[in-house]
Amino acid sequence: MQKSHSEPIDSNITSGENKSFWVASAEPIVFNKLQQDIETDVLIVGGGIAGLTTAYCLVKAGRQVVLVEDGYVGSGETGRTTAHITYALDDRYFELEKIFGEEKARLAADSHMAALEWVGNTIMHENIECHFKRVDGYLFLHPTDKKESLEKEYAATQRAGLPTQMLAQIPSIAAEEGNSCIQFPQQGQFHIMKYLKGLSDAVIRMGGKIYTETKAEDITKEGATANGFEIKANHIVVATNTPINDRVTMHTKQWPYRTYVIAAKVPKGKLTYSLWWDTGDQESKWTSAPYHYVRLEEYDNEFDLLISGGEDHKTGQADDEHIPEEDRYINLIEWTKKRFPAMEEVAYKWSGQVMEPVDSMAFIGKNPGDDNIYIITGDSGNGMTHGTLGGIILTDIITGKENPWVDFYSPSRITLKTTGDYLHEVGNMVAQLVDWITPSDIKKAEELKPGEGGIISAGLKKIAAYRDEENNLHTCTAVCPHLGGILQWNAEEKSFDCPLHGSRFTTEGKVINGPAKSDLKKLEIKQDAEMH
Ligand SMILES: Cc1cc2nc3c(=O)[nH]c(=O)nc-3n(C[C@H](O)[C@H](O)[C@H](O)COP(=O)(O)OP(=O)(O)OC[C@H]3O[C@@H](n4cnc5c(N)ncnc54)[C@H](O)[C@@H]3O)c2cc1C
Ligand code: FES
């Protein structure tokens, strides 16, 4: 099954122009492409942490499993993570209590604690070399947040049964002198690509099959097609980060956000391995308050890497705050340097996309209206634990085992109260549709230098244009094939991003992220800005 060495491997397969440290520091995880019709008990679509954990759990439970991945294993958002493995959720426990009540907030805590333990035990059981460490995590106030929020959160974590403590100081951050924090003891961190390699090896060893560069299409209750071949299955798990089997239902329950990461060298021993998070900018225009998340990772004999993330915005809407994508890194470096002055040269930078669910918790279970099609989505900034829970919960559903979290994570759940403002997000979506009639960012394709892209208006048409390094112009429709959103140019990851539900396309119009299933339609232009 492992790809034969005679076939070329494109180590650039990832969902953006910038390579994460994880992808850059590990061999691509590549298998053969599907080249024949096939039958299986369970078909899993998507080779990120959610799909691969599901494959591992099911094959371990004795089920016949085929996993298909249209890139390589980990080439989606999993390869762009920062891999904090934690039950300190990125929405507060006191908010979860408001939405779901105390009992269910405890379910959230229990399930994430279990996911963290599951990861640790699996790494030990499978002997996976992935730099896994148990480290303490510290949640501290963003300057815009109130002291009472931290106290409220501490009380809520205690009610949820978590072994948290309030500390008078934030370890290792002198710039936050005098500020207290909540300590979450014994959380986890690892090198995600090395972890995925370990899980993939175990899946294959136990008899599962993985095909890469194999794109699933036409998903039905009978299975799917991929690379022109038929895959028949009794159960189909769609673990594509955002579901590609559903046109509308799930996409009104979650919103795409772009988030940024820098990784800077820091002399070994200067900082203790830990996780740090602030509570997020309470004055942000976005419903999900952008927060900072920081950790350390092994680098070489002299340095560790300080990996710092944040500066989020809704996908395709960076300019609404007048902070273009590239400036997000500048802000992130400034914020990190102030708090961790030992940091030196920035060695890596990358960004990725997270799906923020309307009520803060992931959607894991049967796809609404389907009996044998299952989804894992709405991972939020907690996809390491949510993805792991996806595997655990779906395996229990498929094998008919009781599981205490099935109803809580059900994609069909009805949530009466939500965090933030649901109407605010809907209003934002409607505002994006107005982009049909607003002036676009460039007037003519002639304005584009090699390596640049943009959206051009030509009469009533919108064109996604990109000029490659050889000066060839590529032009496609800028109308998203999902539900008609107007795409925006992402200069940092060199992609066309849809602000509505987060579909993304390469410079040549190939779909990278769903829910859109098809590529952008090519448009020919005779000369710059003259459209046909
Ligand atoms: C910058 C950043 C930092 C983050 N930090 C953290 C963190 O510290 N802790 C944490 O818990 N979470 C974090 N997250 C979130 C977490 O990384 C993600 O939620 C998680 O990796 C998503 O995993 P997934 O398996 O659902 O999706 P993906 O990894 O995106 O996997 C889905 C896969 O499906 C494939 N696919 C799509 N369509 C098809 C098709 N038609 N056929 C076949 N394959 C298909 C894609 O190629 C992709 O590989 C972060 C995310 C980002 C972007
Ligand atoms: S992703 Fe839904 S319209 Fe573009």
Side-chain angles (χ1 to χ4, degrees), residues 358-370:
V358 64
D359 61 9
S360 308
M361 302 312 291
F363 299 106
I364 301 166
K366 287 188 178 174
N367 188 51
D370 286 315

Side-chain angles (χ1 to χ4, degrees), residues 219 238 240 242-247 367 370 373-375 517:
I219 297 171
V238 181
T240 49
T242 188
I244 52 160
N245 52 315
D246 158 59
R247 198 160 156 80
N367 188 51
D370 286 315
I373 304 179
Y374 312 81
I375 55 171
K517 295 183 210 169

Side-chain angles (χ1 to χ4, degrees), residues 110-380:
D110 288 349
S111 57
H112 283 264
M113 272 202 279
L116 168 59
E117 290 310 319
W118 188 94
V119 168
N121 290 338
T122 304
I123 288 169
M124 207 158 58
H125 180 74
E126 295 295 342
N127 223 346
I128 304 176
E129 284 285 329
C130 60
H131 309 177
F132 179 68
K133 290 180 182 54
R134 297 303 291 250
V135 293
D136 290 346
Y138 306 105
L139 177 71
F140 58 95
L141 279 183
H142 188 279
T144 57
D145 207 351
K146 298 191 206 75
K147 197 160 182 281
E148 302 90 85
S149 300
L150 208 62
E151 283 153 10
K152 266 197 313 192
E153 182 61 358
Y154 174 61
T157 59
Q158 292 281 304
R159 283 192 293 274
L162 294 172
T164 47
Q165 281 200 48
M166 196 67 136
L167 304 185
Q169 293 289 340
I170 310 162
S172 301
I173 312 187
E176 295 282 351
E177 177 95 49
N179 291 333
S180 49
C181 69
I182 303 174
Q183 180 194 42
F184 291 76
Q186 294 291 298
Q187 308 298 286
Q189 64 167 54
F190 54 20
H191 185 304
I192 183 65
M193 293 305 287
K194 292 181 192 284
Y195 176 67
L196 292 189
K197 173 77 170 84
L199 281 189
S200 307
D201 288 347
V203 167
I204 299 297
R205 194 194 67 237
M206 292 188 285
K209 293 191 171 133
I210 302 177
Y211 296 96
T212 53
E213 293 171 276
T214 299
K215 179 174 173 160
E217 291 174 282
D218 309 319
I219 297 171
T220 67
K221 57 185 173 29
E222 272 84 42
T225 58
N227 295 357
F229 299 100
E230 204 178 324
I231 310 176
K232 280 199 183 149
N234 302 321
H235 304 272
I236 300 100
V237 175
V238 181
T240 49
N241 195 240
T242 188
I244 52 160
N245 52 315
D246 158 59
R247 198 160 156 80
V248 178
T249 316
M250 295 312 298
H251 306 293
T252 57
K253 299 184 181 187
Q254 55 182 1
W255 329 101
Y257 278 73
R258 191 121 213 110
T259 181
Y260 296 78
V261 180
I262 53 139
K265 291 182 184 177
V266 66
K268 263 200 186 318
K270 278 271 181 195
L271 293 168
T272 307
Y273 277 63
S274 318
L275 310 177
W276 296 271
W277 319 278
D278 70 20
T279 54
D281 182 356
Q282 308 302 306
E283 289 164 8
S284 160
K285 67 173 288 185
W286 312 116
T287 309
S288 291
Y291 66 100
H292 295 98
Y293 45 99
V294 187
R295 62 166 278 198
L296 281 181
E297 172 62 15
E298 298 170 27
Y299 188 54
D300 59 19
N301 291 338
E302 219 182 320
F303 294 102
D304 283 327
L305 274 186
L306 182 69
I307 301 178
S308 175
E311 304 297 324
D312 307 12
H313 60 81
K314 278 199 78 177
T315 294
Q317 300 182 41
D319 289 346
D320 284 24
E321 289 177 306
H322 309 290
I323 312 172
E325 283 93 350
E326 55 273 27
D327 290 356
R328 306 267 162 177
Y329 292 115
I330 297 171
N331 292 352
L332 193 50
I333 292 168
E334 201 176 298
W335 182 92
T336 311
K337 232 180 200 148
K338 193 163 166 205
R339 284 156 186 86
F340 301 93
M343 90 175 225
E344 297 184 11
E345 169 208 348
V346 174
Y348 296 89
K349 59 170 191 166
W350 68 90
S351 69
Q353 182 161 292
V354 292
M355 301 306 299
E356 291 293 346
V358 64
D359 61 9
S360 308
M361 302 312 291
F363 299 106
I364 301 166
K366 287 188 178 174
N367 188 51
D370 286 315
D371 249 353
N372 69 338
I373 304 179
Y374 312 81
I375 55 171
I376 304 171
T377 190
D379 50 24
S380 183

Side-chain angles (χ1 to χ4, degrees), residues 251-252 254-257 314-317 355 425-426 428-436 480 482-488 497-503 515:
H251 306 293
T252 57
Q254 55 182 1
W255 329 101
Y257 278 73
K314 278 199 78 177
T315 294
Q317 300 182 41
M355 301 306 299
E425 289 288 18
V426 172
N428 178 281
M429 270 199 185
V430 172
Q432 298 315 304
L433 290 165
V434 175
D435 265 2
W436 270 105
C480 178
H482 177 228
L483 293 174
I486 298 298
L487 305 178
Q488 300 294 315
D497 299 353
C498 182
L500 260 65
H501 315 107
S503 291

